[in-house]
Amino acid sequence: MSNRDARLPERLAGVRDRLPDEESFTSPLHSTRTAAILGIALGIAFTTCFLTGLVSHAHQHPPSWFALPSRPAGLYRISQSLHVATGIASIPLLLAKLWTVFPLFWKRPAVAGVAHALERLSLIPLVAGSVFLLFTGTINIAYWYSPMTFFFTAGHYWAAWLTIGALIVHVSAKSSITRLALSARAPDAVVPAGAGLGRRGFLATIAATAGALTLATVGQTIGPLRRLSVLAPRLPDRGPQGYPVNRAFSAAGIAAEDVDAGRFTLTVDGNVAEPLRLTLEDLRQLPQYETTLPIQCVEGWSYSARWRGVRVRDLLAQAGADQGAQATVESLQRGGIYRTSPLNRDQAHDRDTLLALELDGEPLALDHGFPLRLIAPNRPGVQQTKWINKVVVS
Ligand SMILES: Nc1nc2c(c(=O)[nH]1)N[C@H]1C(S)=C(S)[C@@H](COP(=O)(O)O)O[C@H]1N2
Ligand SMILES: [Mo]
């Protein structure tokens, strides 16, 4: 053994002595009580975000055992606005929580028994999953796609299950210490006068940050707050005909002659007695209905508008489809996963499921889907397909 090797254990011990331990972090804000309060806030936000995320996933990947209802018409708007808002509010909460509990990562012994080891191991998926979800959600609504080398919805969805599983383990492991920390009898850390923020001040700062972030984005869906929404990527009153657009006509790869009013035709075929082929003039001659419905983008922004057009159920009846028929609506757009949109029985037969020709009393702008777009109650914006030229009945 060389001299250097002989000194190795000694040198390692030296390094260990220089590492911080739990006591090195002296701020009284690293208290169990602060961690417990932030943990509860984060638990509520994450659970709401998870459940509303499942709703959105179910709309876009309809399960075979459950048909999503077409009512209440504005339900998806509430659910998805909550999803995005709770996700955004979770960012400062998570950062504050990680900062508060950070000294515990240096606690010795690092492992004290099997249960403790498992509880600590579950922190890896919990922290990594939370950071991943909030990061991918944020860059998705900010249209910053380059770091996303995977399909966003699949990655975000599976990470959510992993994170919620780890959260359940974490909450079970911490429930008694949380209860104790919040009980009136628990001694609270005392902040000496002049020593900086106290616990109340710290929590108020975090709450104010979460509130400010919410206000700076929630105007994308709550119209009267739009002036405050400096961080919202889309505003409900900016765009052609006064409404925002995600996929512009120029980005959809559709030839101008395909949407020429004189040449355009809509076909209704598939499982029908009598396939239909209708020109724009034919469609205008059919009974027209008007409805006020929201477009709620999965990214959080939304607006409500007055739509006028032909009922899908009337077209199905005219083509001689079954009472229980379902349908897929197809766009002139050539590629992309959002060029088709499925309607289950309920959705296809709802009186407000329209192929709209007009928005607020005017023909649709090209960017809003001229000549025809789908508009139906209680569904994500990605399923309100534009530039429709085909309905396939099944
Ligand atoms: N054919 C087609 N329709 C589409 C899309 C698309 O990419 N292709 N994007 C959708 C998305 S993501 C949303 S939120 C709504 C937005 O509606 P608007 O652009 O008319 O406001 O349209 C939807 N319709
Ligand atoms: Mo969207």
Side-chain angles (χ1 to χ4, degrees):
M1 218 195 234
S2 78
N3 230 358
R4 283 182 66 165
D5 291 343
R7 288 217 307 272
L8 191 60
E10 209 177 292
R11 295 172 77 193
L12 280 179
V15 170
R16 204 172 50 224
D17 286 345
R18 262 178 280 129
L19 283 179
D21 61 19
E22 202 190 349
E23 265 70 61
S24 320
F25 302 89
T26 51
S27 166
L29 294 176
H30 295 296
S31 76
T32 316
R33 195 171 169 115
T34 314
I37 294 170
L38 286 170
I40 287 173
L42 210 44
I44 294 171
F46 264 43
T47 307
T48 311
C49 208
F50 177 70
L51 295 175
T52 50
L54 288 187
V55 169
S56 195
H57 185 84
H59 274 281
Q60 294 178 67
H61 306 270
S64 55
W65 48 271
F66 176 66
L68 284 150
S70 61
R71 300 280 157 168
L75 188 61
Y76 185 78
R77 190 180 197 184
I78 297 171
S79 152
Q80 191 63 8
S81 301
L82 268 176
H83 181 70
V84 174
T86 48
I88 290 173
S90 293
I91 298 171
L93 292 176
L94 180 69
L95 292 175
K97 168 90 181 180
L98 288 176
W99 180 83
T100 305
V101 300
F102 180 70
L104 295 177
F105 291 110
W106 303 100
K107 199 174 174 143
R108 316 258 164 64
V111 174
V114 179
H116 183 239
L118 285 179
E119 186 270 310
R120 293 210 107 188
L121 269 181
S122 77
L123 292 175
I124 297 172
L126 184 60
V127 176
S130 306
V131 170
F132 176 86
L133 288 169
L134 298 181
F135 180 71
T136 53
T138 305
I139 65 174
N140 187 66
I141 62 180
Y143 309 108
W144 182 32
Y145 301 126
S146 48
M148 224 123 49
T149 49
F150 50 89
F151 182 42
F152 167 74
T153 52
H156 200 70
Y157 177 71
W158 289 112
W161 278 107
L162 187 76
T163 311
I164 214 76
L167 182 64
I168 291 169
V169 173
H170 186 68
V171 169
S172 334
K174 297 288 181 184
S175 67
S176 50
I177 192 169
T178 303
R179 227 171 293 140
L180 185 68
L182 294 179
S183 75
R185 275 164 294 131
D188 193 14
V190 178
V191 185
L197 271 183
R199 194 190 69 244
R200 291 236 163 96
F202 177 65
L203 289 175
T205 308
I206 306 307
T209 311
L213 274 179
T214 306
L215 276 182
T217 44
V218 82
Q220 62 188 338
T221 204
I222 301 177
L225 293 177
R226 66 186 178 278
R227 304 260 167 268
L228 297 173
S229 282
V230 288
L231 296 179
R234 296 268 194 268
L235 287 174
D237 59 351
R238 238 20 97 71
Q241 293 182 279
Y243 296 109
V245 162
N246 239 10
R247 166 90 49 179
F249 177 73
S250 59
I254 301 174
E257 61 261 29
D258 287 349
V259 292
D260 181 274
R263 292 179 49 178
F264 173 83
T265 55
L266 170 78
T267 56
V268 180
D269 57 18
N271 190 13
V272 293
E274 201 181 317
L276 309 177
R277 199 179 173 87
L278 304 163
T279 65
L280 200 50
E281 208 33 56
D282 296 336
L283 286 162
R284 289 187 183 131
Q285 297 305 318
L286 292 174
Q288 306 286 306
Y289 293 91
E290 195 169 278
T291 177
T292 299
L293 284 178
I295 289 213
Q296 167 67 51
C297 179
V298 295
E299 292 149 14
W301 57 271
S302 70
Y303 65 85
S304 183
R306 216 154 35 84
W307 309 92
R308 195 176 144 85
V310 180
R311 280 180 176 156
V312 168
R313 74 178 187 200
D314 287 357
L315 293 173
L316 298 190
Q318 196 182 332
D322 287 352
Q323 290 283 314
Q326 312 196 1
T328 304
V329 164
E330 292 187 11
S331 171
L332 284 160
Q333 189 183 337
R334 304 237 163 81
I337 47 173
Y338 301 124
R339 62 170 301 279
T340 68
S341 178
L343 294 166
N344 66 27
R345 195 197 155 276
D346 242 30
Q347 296 164 336
H349 290 83
D350 192 289
R351 66 188 148 80
D352 278 347
T353 297
L354 305 183
L355 296 188
L357 295 145
E358 288 180 15
L359 162 57
D360 281 353
E362 286 171 45
L364 293 171
L366 257 187
D367 283 343
H368 284 304
F370 179 86
L372 270 188
R373 88 166 301 157
L374 176 66
I375 183 78
N378 188 29
R379 73 201 268 109
V382 286
Q383 296 185 324
Q384 312 279 33
T385 310
K386 304 194 270 193
W387 313 291
I388 287 187
N389 74 329
K390 209 170 184 178
V391 177
V392 182
V393 179
S394 52

